[in-house]
Amino acid sequence: MNSLFNQRLQSHFTQMSKYLRYVFNDFFVIALMFIIGGIGYQYAMFIKHLRAGQWWEKIVLVLLLLVIIQLNSLVTFVKRADFVFWLPKEKEFFAFQRSGLRYSTSLAVIVQIVSWFVMIPFIEKAMITTSLALVVMFLLVMIILKMVVLNFQMVDNYHHEDNLFSAKLCYRLIMPLIAILITIYANAYIGVAISILLLVLSHVMVAKLQKQSINWQIVIEKTESHENSLNRFFNMFTDVENMQGAVKRRSYLDSLFKIFNNDVYSVLYSRGIVRDKEISGLLTRVSILGAIIIGAVKLEWMVILIAVLFMYLIVFQLIPYFTNFEDNVFTSLYPISFEQQIKSFTNVIGKIMILVIIVLMIGSIFMFNLIASLILFLILVIEWILLIKIYVPKKIRKASSNY
């Protein structure tokens, strides 16, 4: 079983390395360095001017710890075919899932350590302390509680008797919240002790799983959900093989389509983009994320760089949708020229990007004065003209000439 898990893990790493080279391209790495540097500078300024011991700081610390503990889920790399091939040896498959638990725990520990290291200045401010021992107690609580969550996620993969501890609300929220509250408001050492007790309890429940049957439906759904999440992320940067798209009817946007009803291809592209869950989800997530980042960063030049980058990334991801209807034989019957099709596509993309600009500007209004917001708006309008009127048509014609 260990060799089988290692094979699955190696296959996973191969796929990750294949797509990560598209994610961390030269332009994205440079932009990421600026973004991390800007956010780091803002965080340093926030900590510098933060007055220690304010009442709300401990509440924020509790919420931050709860959120960080939820990061990373149990990954087992179970395939749908395993249900058929390994059902006769279901008890032996426990070793495979336990290997997945070890792998998930190692990743989660790294995430918790990095998060704790970033939070050290805020912990010292909130707790009014410079004691290294107290700060390390927070790290222990974070790691132990995360291991508890992963262990109970392992329990959820099996058919077991329902009890208070195995309820998702209990092990993901109530138990960690109690341990964190005691650590912050009472005594950190007691908080660590309670966390250790929870860890022992979870290990006992995991050990009993060897005699239980696997809930294959839950295990497969979790694995496929994890894979789809990774594929959706990679799909923001490149085309992903075997990416399963889905179409969803969004009747509440019918009134919005009136601005796109200029010609046949405008109708096709506008409805296709909005109804496609992957494309529409990408547009929504990136636009809202951009607005949040713009609202959180106070450096004007950094805001401009981020807004320009997000505009370019969104347009770049929408360009491949131009060929979305090529496989539909009926579109070849339309008496519409190729140039008219390009014009319709750029018209749709242009109107979508106007909505994106509005969302990004909402984020800037809360952080800057009117003059700075107008400068940002002017730069985005100039970028819109360059992208929609020059870059997109040129990119499409160049791609079409290669076929």
Side-chain angles (χ1 to χ4, degrees):
M1 287 299 174
N2 290 332
S3 62
L4 175 62
F5 181 83
N6 291 333
Q7 291 176 8
R8 298 274 177 89
L9 184 60
Q10 184 62 41
S11 176
H12 174 71
F13 285 152
T14 302
Q15 184 185 25
M16 292 281 288
S17 62
K18 174 183 177 182
Y19 292 121
L20 283 176
R21 62 191 179 95
Y22 294 106
V23 175
F24 293 101
N25 55 64
D26 294 340
F27 296 104
F28 184 75
V29 170
I30 294 173
L32 194 62
M33 290 173 60
F34 278 102
I35 292 173
I36 293 176
I39 294 176
Y41 175 78
Q42 293 297 321
Y43 179 63
M45 291 298 100
F46 169 74
I47 294 297
K48 181 178 180 180
H49 296 94
L50 181 64
R51 185 162 54 88
Q54 300 186 69
W55 65 270
W56 56 267
E57 292 174 355
K58 290 185 177 181
I59 298 176
V60 172
L61 184 59
V62 170
L63 296 176
L64 285 175
L65 293 177
L66 271 178
V67 171
I68 293 172
I69 289 171
Q70 308 307 319
L71 300 178
N72 297 88
S73 297
L74 177 64
V75 180
T76 57
F77 302 116
V78 174
K79 302 294 183 182
R80 186 169 289 273
D82 291 335
F83 172 66
V84 177
F85 288 99
W86 292 104
L87 186 60
K89 296 185 176 182
E90 193 175 51
K91 298 296 186 292
E92 298 179 16
F93 204 72
F94 174 80
F96 181 90
Q97 298 223 60
R98 189 170 54 187
S99 297
L101 177 61
R102 294 195 190 102
Y103 168 74
S104 303
T105 301
S106 61
L107 286 183
V109 168
I110 294 174
V111 172
Q112 297 301 310
I113 292 175
V114 172
S115 303
W116 167 80
F117 185 78
V118 173
M119 290 177 58
I120 287 177
F122 186 74
I123 293 174
E124 291 180 343
K125 289 280 188 177
M127 301 303 295
I128 319 179
T129 183
T130 56
S131 171
L132 178 60
L134 179 61
V135 175
V136 172
M137 289 299 106
F138 276 87
L139 175 61
L140 293 177
V141 169
M142 293 170 65
I143 292 176
I144 295 172
L145 290 179
K146 185 59 196 179
M147 293 174 65
V148 170
V149 172
L150 291 175
N151 284 343
F152 277 107
Q153 287 182 341
M154 176 79 165
V155 174
D156 280 344
N157 287 347
Y158 283 78
H159 295 286
H160 61 277
E161 295 181 2
D162 294 332
N163 56 64
L164 177 63
F165 294 105
S166 61
K168 184 175 293 187
L169 180 64
C170 182
Y171 73 74
R172 298 202 69 158
L173 181 62
I174 296 177
M175 292 193 299
L177 180 60
I178 293 173
I180 291 172
L181 288 175
I182 292 175
T183 302
I184 294 177
Y185 287 98
N187 187 288
Y189 295 95
I190 297 177
V192 172
I194 292 176
S195 300
I196 293 175
L197 289 176
L198 293 174
L199 181 61
V200 172
L201 173 64
S202 65
H203 275 306
V204 171
M205 296 185 68
V206 169
K208 293 180 179 179
L209 297 178
Q210 298 185 60
K211 301 178 181 180
Q212 306 295 328
S213 60
I214 300 174
N215 191 337
W216 288 100
Q217 182 179 357
I218 295 296
V219 175
I220 293 171
E221 287 178 356
K222 286 182 178 180
T223 303
E224 291 182 347
S225 175
H226 175 261
E227 291 177 353
N228 290 334
S229 298
L230 288 177
N231 289 338
R232 281 195 294 269
F233 172 74
F234 292 136
N235 196 50
M236 297 173 61
F237 301 90
T238 184
D239 294 331
V240 177
E241 297 177 1
N242 301 322
M243 184 71 180
Q244 298 295 327
V247 176
K248 184 177 181 180
R249 177 78 168 97
R250 305 180 191 275
S251 57
Y252 55 88
L253 295 177
D254 284 346
S255 59
L256 183 64
F257 284 123
K258 294 179 180 179
I259 65 174
F260 296 107
N261 292 336
N262 296 330
D263 52 65
V264 174
Y265 273 108
S266 292
V267 173
L268 282 177
Y269 285 128
S270 60
R271 280 161 172 74
I273 290 173
V274 173
R275 290 177 180 175
D276 189 303
K277 293 175 68 175
E278 301 300 332
I279 298 294
S280 59
L282 170 68
L283 282 171
T284 304
R285 290 191 298 270
V286 174
S287 300
I288 295 177
L289 178 63
I292 293 174
I293 294 177
I294 288 173
V297 177
K298 296 181 180 181
L299 295 176
E300 295 183 6
W301 64 270
M302 180 62 67
V303 168
I304 294 173
L305 177 64
I306 293 172
V308 169
L309 176 64
F310 271 84
M311 282 275 291
Y312 172 76
L313 286 176
I314 293 174
V315 171
F316 184 78
Q317 291 300 315
L318 289 175
I319 290 177
Y321 202 81
F322 178 80
T323 60
N324 188 68
F325 300 103
E326 281 189 352
D327 294 336
N328 190 333
V329 66
F330 295 104
T331 58
S332 62
L333 302 177
Y334 296 158
I336 300 174
S337 65
F338 180 71
E339 291 297 323
Q340 180 60 40
Q341 183 182 354
I342 295 178
K343 183 178 179 181
S344 299
F345 181 75
T346 54
N347 177 52
V348 171
I349 300 302
K351 290 177 180 178
I352 290 175
M353 295 312 298
I354 290 175
L355 298 177
V356 173
I357 291 176
I358 293 174
V359 174
L360 295 179
M361 289 304 302
I362 292 175
S364 69
I365 290 174
F366 292 101
M367 294 302 296
F368 295 108
N369 55 43
L370 181 61
I371 301 298
S373 296
L374 288 175
I375 293 174
L376 176 61
F377 177 73
L378 179 62
I379 292 175
L380 292 181
V381 169
I382 294 174
E383 184 186 14
W384 182 91
I385 295 173
L386 295 175
L387 290 174
I388 303 302
K389 300 300 181 181
I390 300 175
Y391 177 75
V392 174
K394 183 178 179 181
K395 190 80 173 177
I396 293 174
R397 292 189 183 96
K398 183 178 179 181
S400 300
S401 64
N402 294 331
Y403 291 103

